[in-house]
């Protein structure tokens, strides 16, 4: 979902009344970022508080490549990483994930092995349908075992876009909240729905209701569901004890726009890129009785901050034996303080850009290769900026491209290298980058090896359903990552 997809952020159709109300009752973050322009690494960063290059969710197979966890990936979240639910469990919390996990699908990477007590959802995205011979259909889990597969037991109609998944995920959330409230049990709910990821889907009640087409239908259903979750917290009388945060895992995928993709507002490009459209996200914090209503924060924030902020809320310190990149946002949220911190934009193993204050310096630029672009794969449709949206990897380490995001949020007008402004700002940014690189210890890359034998052939529980499939012979290879 993109920065420009919500009415509160200026979307003209005004079709997100519940999220807009959430913003009016809470705090809007205008400068909030994901840790990667792609799904899996950003989710790993959210749950560990660490950049993907530290937690292993990156590849070294080729320079500056986005990588994620498709069915044939061998790697996933390592046991050495400490996830937010593992720490919250020590404080007496019950933890549930609903929806997309995407941190590895082999048994050792199962969310219930990494701090979650309950899971309803899927290890991968809802791609398919597959023939169950070359590729198995993606399983849907309840806790330790699969209960069916997408397109077989959980229908997604690719012709009409109809699927009831968001409604199922909503009911799971409401039931979980009710159960925890009834037993006076503190809880952490990670509601990770994926209806706005192509192939986009919505339930029958929402199909055809948006001016924006099917993508808008999906956004409207997500908005409606979040409204129901917030009202449920209020009805149960626990809203003032519950901190809620809404954001996205990466910017809108412009490659599937306009029918299957959203809006990144005034920002350049979209998902897969380290321009603002790929990594700046809509973000709303809501906590009635604590967060002043109608607040707007210009704090530079990151999904990794949700790790540290959540620990702060329950009185825990982040682990001291590793580098944590997330900061505690509570002073910004509750007292309006601005904390000076940089934002690093990584694509795979490369730091592509850094933001300090209102300035963003690009050390590398690359939208995608000429070869992919010539096939019609375009992450910046209608947004070619000469010398900025490059189709070959361009290094600018000696003279980074510098933008003032206040005057130029669309990254169209790089500052003159000869200007006093450029010279002064780059001295400050260079010191930040030097310190960052000196202290960077990359993790073991988990997204290098692929093997069709590890796909979702026979997940736990398949034998009870008669849905086990025979895997092919193991043949591990280097994964190919074109972007």
């Amino acid at each position: 979902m993109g920065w420009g997809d919500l009415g509160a952020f200026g979307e003209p159709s005004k079709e997100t009344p519940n999220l807009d109300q959430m913003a009016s009752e809470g705090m809007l973050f205008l400068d909030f970022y994901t840790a990667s322009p792609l799904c899996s690494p950003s989710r790993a960063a959210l749950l560990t508080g660490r950049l993907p290059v530290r937690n292993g969710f990156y590849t070294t197979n080729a320079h500056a490549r986005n990588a994620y966890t498709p069915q044939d990936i061998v790697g996933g979240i390592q046991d050495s990483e400490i996830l937010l639910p593992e720490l919250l469990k020590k404080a007496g919390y019950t933890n549930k994930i609903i929806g997309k996990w995407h941190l590895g699908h082999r048994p050792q990477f199962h969310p219930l092995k990494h701090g979650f007590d309950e899971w309803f959802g899927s290890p991968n995205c809802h791609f398919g349908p597959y023939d169950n011979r070359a590729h198995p259909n993606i399983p849907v889990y309840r806790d330790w075992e699969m209960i069916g597969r997408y397109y077989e037991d959980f229908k997604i109609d690719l012709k009409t876009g109809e699927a009831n998944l968001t409604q199922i995920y909503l009911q799971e959330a409401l039931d979980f909240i009710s159960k925890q409230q009834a037993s006076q049990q503190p809880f952490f709910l990670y509601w990770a729905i994926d209806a706005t990821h192509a192939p986009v889907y919505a339930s029958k009640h929402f199909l055809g209701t948006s001016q924006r087409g099917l993508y808008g239908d999906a956004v409207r259903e997500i908005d409606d569901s979040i409204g129901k979750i917030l009202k449920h917290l209020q009805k149960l009388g626990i809203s003032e004890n519950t901190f809620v945060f809404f954001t996205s895992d990466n910017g809108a995928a412009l490659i599937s726009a306009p029918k299957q993709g959203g809006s990144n507002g005034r920002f350049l490009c979209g998902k897969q890129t380290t321009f603002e459209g790929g990594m700046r996200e809509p973000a709303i914090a809501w906590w009635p009785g604590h967060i002043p209503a109608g607040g707007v924060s210009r704090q530079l924030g990151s999904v990794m901050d949700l790790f540290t902020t959540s620990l702060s809320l329950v009185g825990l310190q982040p682990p001291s034996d590793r580098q944590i990149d997330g900061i505690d946002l509570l002073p910004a949220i509750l007292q309006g303080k601005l904390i000076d911190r940089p934002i690093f934009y990584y694509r795979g193993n490369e730091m592509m850009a850094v933001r300090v204050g209102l300035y963003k310096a690009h050390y590398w630029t690359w939208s995608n290769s000429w070869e992919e672009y010539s096939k019609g794969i375009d992450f910046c449709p209608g947004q070619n900026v000469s010398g900025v949206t490059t189709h070959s990897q361009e290094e600018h380490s000696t003279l980074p491209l510098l933008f003032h995001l206040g005057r130029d949020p669309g990254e169209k007008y790089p500052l003159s290298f000869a200007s006093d402004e450029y010279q002064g700002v780059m001295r400050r940014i260079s010191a930040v980058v030097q310190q960052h690189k000196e202290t960077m210890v990359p993790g073991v890359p988990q997204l290098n090896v692929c093997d069709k034998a590890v796909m979702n052939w026979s997940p736990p529980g398949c034998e009870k359903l008669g849905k086990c499939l025979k895997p092919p012979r193991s043949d591990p290879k280097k994964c190919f990552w074109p972007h």
Side-chain angles (χ1 to χ4, degrees), residues 268-381:
L268 186 61
C269 301
K271 179 179 177 177
Q272 299 269 10
T273 78
T274 49
F275 300 111
E276 291 297 286
M279 292 184 62
R280 202 190 294 204
E281 303 306 323
I284 304 168
W286 185 86
W287 190 13
H290 300 270
I291 297 175
V296 175
S297 177
R298 287 178 169 79
Q299 171 65 47
L300 296 192
S302 164
V303 292
M304 297 180 289
D305 301 341
L306 299 178
F307 175 90
T308 312
T309 304
S310 299
L311 295 179
S312 178
L313 281 163
V314 303
L316 293 177
Q317 292 294 320
S320 58
D321 64 341
R322 62 200 60 213
Q323 180 70 42
I324 301 296
D325 296 291
I327 66 169
D328 180 6
L329 289 176
L330 287 186
I333 293 171
L334 300 180
Q335 295 147 31
K337 292 185 178 175
L338 287 179
I339 304 153
D340 186 26
R341 63 90 68 88
I343 295 290
F344 297 102
Y345 303 69
Y346 270 84
R347 184 164 173 160
N349 59 348
E350 185 60 73
M351 190 204 79
M352 304 287 284
V354 61
R355 177 174 174 181
V356 174
L358 283 168
Y359 292 93
K360 179 179 179 182
H362 289 267
Y363 286 76
W364 287 85
T365 52
W366 191 42
S367 50
N368 65 331
S369 68
W370 281 114
E371 182 186 6
E372 294 287 298
Y373 182 69
S374 67
K375 295 176 187 172
I377 297 170
D378 189 355
F379 301 138
C380 312

Side-chain angles (χ1 to χ4, degrees), residues 176-460:
F176 174 73
I177 293 167
S178 294
K179 182 178 163 190
Q180 305 317 310
Q181 189 272 339
S183 58
Q184 299 292 293
Q185 174 64 37
F187 65 88
F188 167 55
L189 172 61
Y190 176 32
W191 198 63
I193 70 291
D194 66 354
T196 47
H197 189 303
V200 173
Y201 62 80
S203 62
K204 192 172 185 178
H205 178 70
F206 289 90
L207 283 180
T209 64
S210 169
Q211 293 181 39
R212 305 179 65 196
L214 181 56
Y215 182 86
D217 297 341
V219 171
R220 287 200 66 233
E221 184 167 16
I222 289 171
D223 174 78
D224 181 78
S225 300
I226 290 167
K228 288 187 165 107
I229 290 171
L230 298 184
K231 286 184 180 74
H232 194 58
L233 293 170
Q234 290 169 322
K235 184 179 128 192
L236 294 175
I238 57 173
S239 60
E240 294 197 1
N241 290 336
T242 309
F243 179 82
V244 185
F245 202 95
F246 170 85
T247 190
S248 173
D249 61 347
N250 46 248
L254 301 185
I255 187 174
S256 53
K259 290 188 175 180
Q260 299 260 326
S263 166
N264 297 313
R266 290 184 64 190
F267 301 123
L268 186 61
C269 301
K271 179 179 177 177
Q272 299 269 10
T273 78
T274 49
F275 300 111
E276 291 297 286
M279 292 184 62
R280 202 190 294 204
E281 303 306 323
I284 304 168
W286 185 86
W287 190 13
H290 300 270
I291 297 175
V296 175
S297 177
R298 287 178 169 79
Q299 171 65 47
L300 296 192
S302 164
V303 292
M304 297 180 289
D305 301 341
L306 299 178
F307 175 90
T308 312
T309 304
S310 299
L311 295 179
S312 178
L313 281 163
V314 303
L316 293 177
Q317 292 294 320
S320 58
D321 64 341
R322 62 200 60 213
Q323 180 70 42
I324 301 296
D325 296 291
I327 66 169
D328 180 6
L329 289 176
L330 287 186
I333 293 171
L334 300 180
Q335 295 147 31
K337 292 185 178 175
L338 287 179
I339 304 153
D340 186 26
R341 63 90 68 88
I343 295 290
F344 297 102
Y345 303 69
Y346 270 84
R347 184 164 173 160
N349 59 348
E350 185 60 73
M351 190 204 79
M352 304 287 284
V354 61
R355 177 174 174 181
V356 174
L358 283 168
Y359 292 93
K360 179 179 179 182
H362 289 267
Y363 286 76
W364 287 85
T365 52
W366 191 42
S367 50
N368 65 331
S369 68
W370 281 114
E371 182 186 6
E372 294 287 298
Y373 182 69
S374 67
K375 295 176 187 172
I377 297 170
D378 189 355
F379 301 138
C380 312
Q383 290 187 303
N384 178 49
V385 180
S386 181
V388 179
T389 55
T390 56
H391 290 294
S392 56
Q393 292 187 10
E394 301 290 339
E395 185 173 6
H396 309 278
S397 297
T398 307
L399 282 173
L401 297 181
L402 185 65
F403 297 90
H404 186 291
L405 294 179
R407 300 191 296 259
D408 176 25
E411 297 169 279
K412 292 180 173 63
Y413 309 103
L415 271 64
S416 166
F417 298 138
S419 68
D420 290 342
E421 184 180 13
Y422 181 94
Q423 302 292 333
V425 170
M426 282 313 306
R427 276 195 291 273
R428 183 180 170 205
I429 292 180
S430 295
V432 170
V433 169
Q434 184 179 348
Q435 182 187 20
H436 175 70
K437 294 206 166 181
E438 284 174 356
T439 57
M440 171 54 68
V441 180
V444 177
Q446 295 297 298
L447 309 180
N448 280 355
V449 182
C450 288
D451 185 351
K452 288 196 171 184
V454 306
M455 293 200 291
N456 293 292
W457 301 103
S458 299

Side-chain angles (χ1 to χ4, degrees), residues 69-211:
T69 56
Q71 281 205 68
D72 57 350
I73 200 77
V74 170
I77 195 70
Q78 303 164 88
D79 287 341
S80 58
E81 291 298 321
I82 301 173
L83 274 62
L84 176 60
E86 295 177 68
L87 295 165
L88 293 178
K89 195 189 278 273
K90 292 178 182 175
Y93 276 68
T94 296
N95 310 305
K96 179 161 186 163
I97 170 174
I98 296 172
K100 179 177 167 183
W101 168 238
H102 232 210
L103 300 191
H105 58 272
R106 298 169 70 205
Q108 65 265 41
F109 307 130
H110 194 290
L112 270 59
K113 287 198 172 180
H114 293 273
F116 285 101
D117 302 291
E118 298 180 24
W119 181 26
F120 183 89
S122 175
N124 308 86
C125 211
H126 56 281
F127 294 141
Y130 297 117
D131 60 10
N132 283 339
R133 290 188 295 275
H135 290 84
N137 278 314
I138 308 292
V140 175
Y141 279 77
R142 180 173 295 285
D143 299 332
W144 288 108
E145 297 184 342
M146 71 174 280
I147 56 171
R149 293 183 187 268
Y150 284 142
Y151 297 95
E152 298 170 22
D153 311 281
F154 294 86
K155 304 297 184 190
I156 304 170
D157 188 325
L158 294 183
K159 287 182 181 172
T160 64
E162 183 178 348
N164 207 38
L165 287 167
T166 302
Q167 291 303 308
I168 296 170
Y169 292 150
L170 169 61
Q171 197 56 52
E172 282 287 323
L174 299 177
D175 291 348
F176 174 73
I177 293 167
S178 294
K179 182 178 163 190
Q180 305 317 310
Q181 189 272 339
S183 58
Q184 299 292 293
Q185 174 64 37
F187 65 88
F188 167 55
L189 172 61
Y190 176 32
W191 198 63
I193 70 291
D194 66 354
T196 47
H197 189 303
V200 173
Y201 62 80
S203 62
K204 192 172 185 178
H205 178 70
F206 289 90
L207 283 180
T209 64
S210 169
Q211 293 181 39

Side-chain angles (χ1 to χ4, degrees), residues 145 461-468:
E145 297 184 342
C462 67
E463 61 286 339
K464 294 180 186 175
L465 303 172
K467 286 188 174 287
C468 298

